[in-house]
Amino acid sequence: MGEKICLKCGNTGIMNNGEPCDCKANIDIDLPVVLSIPEQYQTADFNKTMLPKYLQFGYGTLCEEIISSIRVNKRFNKNVLICAPPNSGKTVFSYTVYRILHMSNVPVPPILDLFEIRRMLANVYNEGEDLKLLKSAKTAIVRVQLDLPPKFVEYILSILEFRVRYGGFTIFLYDGSYVDMMNADRGGKLKYIKGDGSYHTVEVHSYFNEEEEDGKV
């Protein structure tokens, strides 16, 4: 008897809406080597079952939904800020997204932090490849370091303004909680960028402890 075919996903593992199919077909995908990815992340692929249990439902599901959307649409049409503790797979998630886009010949900038991008944008003579990718890419990932600089909200706003102007969306990843961000926001400007992820707003998800399991802020 022949192999059973899933009527929902056709054994691709991904349904038409971009979400993972519950049949679990084709869940293990061997992705080719991408030289611009650090060696230790070459074969790493994000999998929420490797996370602590309290992070699997909200945080893990959100990351897998984003990955599935990018596999299908080659972009993610929303600005998001994801707050999760260190060692929760954010770097693996980042390079999973980067690898999918790179192997699909879709422009994708390197994964940089707020400081690095701020310096890039502040240099009026900068015409490097990284800036061109930051400008042209529809999806970019920006790391927000745990030790927040005094003007971190202004940095985020500058990146949003630059990216939105060229039709791009940005995924911000922070190693602390959203409460940590609010406490570090001396000017009280963070509340003005929280929204639905369109234009100059970010949709905020925080998963720093078991009480924040659902994540949506």
Side-chain angles (χ1 to χ4, degrees), residues 95-134:
Y95 284 116
T96 298
V97 170
Y98 182 93
R99 186 191 297 110
I100 293 168
L101 292 171
H102 183 86
M103 296 307 301
S104 301
N105 294 317
V106 176
V108 55
I111 298 165
L112 303 173
D113 63 32
L114 285 182
F115 280 127
E116 292 169 317
I117 296 180
R118 178 63 175 174
R119 284 197 300 268
M120 189 189 306
L121 295 178
N123 183 359
V124 296
Y125 300 106
N126 184 4
E127 297 181 359
E129 188 63 28
D130 288 349
L131 182 63
K132 292 177 182 177
L133 286 171
L134 189 66

Side-chain angles (χ1 to χ4, degrees), residues 155-171:
Y155 292 179
I156 292 175
L157 280 167
S158 295
I159 294 169
L160 282 173
E161 194 280 330
F162 180 82
R163 298 267 306 135
V164 168
R165 189 161 21 114
Y166 294 101
F169 293 89
T170 309
I171 300 169

